[in-house]
């Protein structure tokens, strides 16, 4: 059974800081990995998708890496802004489903 | 039409009642999945449909059922509602398992 763990559960940083969110998964037989952002009470917004054959993806200030063999992914956020405050969820696709971690709640203080 | 649209946005039901939640997927997205998200937790997989056939199911009882229609819309039906069914229900669609696009969700409260 696939299990996804995200560390830390919560993170508070001052504006402008670079930060790293961590995701680990137990079964390396994944199709792809996706990072999402969720604002309180809202749906999920896809940030980055990494196929299992890829090592990283970049979009603006975001960079996600994938090390399938060790079952790890990181999401790097550069020059954080208060608007980045949200919960960040990591999910892996195996078979017909996404398996999610419980998320990292990020607060960026002005 | 772009994006995934869910209706209604909020719903209050009484224990024992039945509810139907609706989702309109992006055109061309053959795969639709439903997830349940309790407060403070990650979404949990309920089931997935591919070209109108269920092709995967999570650890949810049979009173959770679904349908997918040829026009890329789908439904989640829950019978005999229980208090623990209170959650955010999310619909997601994908063009053949290549990344998922999520709707804004339906907040269901069972009282």
């Amino acid at each position: 059974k696939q299990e996804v763990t995200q560390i830390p559960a919560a993170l508070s940083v001052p504006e402008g800081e670079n930060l790293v969110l961590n995701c680990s998964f137990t079964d390396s037989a994944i199709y792809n990995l996706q990072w999402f952002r969720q604002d309180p009470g809202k749906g999920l917004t896809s940030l980055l998708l990494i196929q299992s054959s890829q090592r990283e993806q970049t979009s603006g200030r975001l960079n996600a890496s994938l090390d399938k063999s060790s079952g790890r992914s990181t999401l790097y956020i550069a020059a954080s802004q208060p608007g980045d405050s949200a919960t960040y969820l990591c999910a892996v696709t195996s078979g017909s489903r996404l398996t999610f971690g419980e998320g990292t709640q990020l607060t960026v203080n002005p | 039409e772009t994006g995934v649209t869910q209706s209604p946005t909020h719903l209050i039901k009484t224990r024992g009642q039945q509810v139907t939640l609706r989702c309109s997927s992006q055109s061309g997205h053959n795969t639709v999945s439903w997830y349940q998200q309790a407060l403070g937790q990650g979404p949990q997989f309920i089931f997935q449909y591919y070209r109108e056939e269920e092709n995967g199911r999570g650890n949810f009882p049979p009173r959770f059922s679904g349908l997918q229609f040829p026009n890329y819309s789908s439904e989640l039906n829950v019978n005999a509602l229980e208090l623990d069914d209170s959650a955010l229900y999310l619909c997601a669609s994908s063009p053949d398992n290549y990344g998922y696009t999520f709707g804004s969700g339906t907040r269901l409260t069972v009282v």
Side-chain angles (χ1 to χ4, degrees):
Chain A
K1 178 189 172 188
Q2 179 74 268
E3 293 183 0
V4 178
T5 303
Q6 291 188 244
I7 294 173
L11 183 62
S12 181
V13 300
E15 182 177 2
E17 193 161 295
N18 302 324
L19 57 100
V20 174
L21 308 182
N22 296 290
C23 171
S24 62
F25 47 95
T26 55
D27 185 351
S28 63
I30 64 170
Y31 190 67
N32 56 46
L33 183 145
Q34 224 169 332
W35 282 92
F36 294 92
R37 168 188 172 136
Q38 186 173 34
D39 293 294
K42 304 295 186 183
L44 308 183
T45 300
S46 180
L47 298 173
L48 290 165
L49 168 70
I50 311 177
Q51 296 294 339
S52 61
S53 58
Q54 298 176 319
R55 298 283 293 183
E56 66 178 324
Q57 283 287 333
T58 298
S59 177
R61 295 183 293 109
L62 306 179
N63 175 275
S65 68
L66 173 63
D67 184 342
K68 207 173 75 160
S69 61
S70 67
R72 295 185 180 186
S73 176
T74 62
L75 178 66
Y76 174 82
I77 302 177
S80 58
Q81 303 171 357
D84 295 331
S85 298
T87 295
Y88 290 79
L89 292 156
C90 161
V92 296
T93 301
S94 356
S96 61
R97 69 187 66 190
L98 284 168
T99 302
F100 284 86
E102 301 221 326
T104 294
Q105 186 173 1
L106 173 66
T107 304
V108 181
N109 301 300
Chain B
E1 182 182 0
T2 60
V4 176
T5 304
Q6 292 188 242
S7 63
T9 55
H10 296 85
L11 199 54
I12 299 175
K13 288 286 191 178
T14 302
R15 188 172 50 182
Q17 284 188 315
Q18 178 268 343
V19 69
T20 298
L21 310 183
R22 293 182 171 84
C23 173
S24 178
S25 307
Q26 287 190 221
S27 178
H29 283 200
N30 296 312
T31 301
V32 64
S33 306
W34 287 88
Y35 291 80
Q36 180 194 66
Q37 187 178 25
L39 205 59
Q41 298 184 15
Q44 298 293 316
F45 176 73
I46 303 175
F47 46 59
Q48 176 166 288
Y49 280 79
Y50 176 72
R51 296 187 177 181
E52 302 164 48
E53 297 284 335
E54 184 180 298
N55 74 336
R57 189 176 185 92
N59 189 27
F60 281 81
R63 58 189 186 85
F64 286 78
S65 63
L67 288 171
Q68 184 187 23
F69 303 102
N71 64 351
Y72 303 109
S73 66
S74 64
E75 290 180 353
L76 164 65
N77 299 289
V78 186
N79 294 323
L81 283 166
E82 301 176 0
L83 297 179
D84 284 350
D85 296 333
S86 295
L88 181 67
Y89 287 85
L90 296 163
C91 170
S93 71
S94 172
D96 296 334
N97 228 22
Y98 182 81
Y100 286 83
T101 301
F102 278 77
S104 297
T106 294
R107 170 70 64 187
L108 173 65
T109 302
V110 183
V111 298

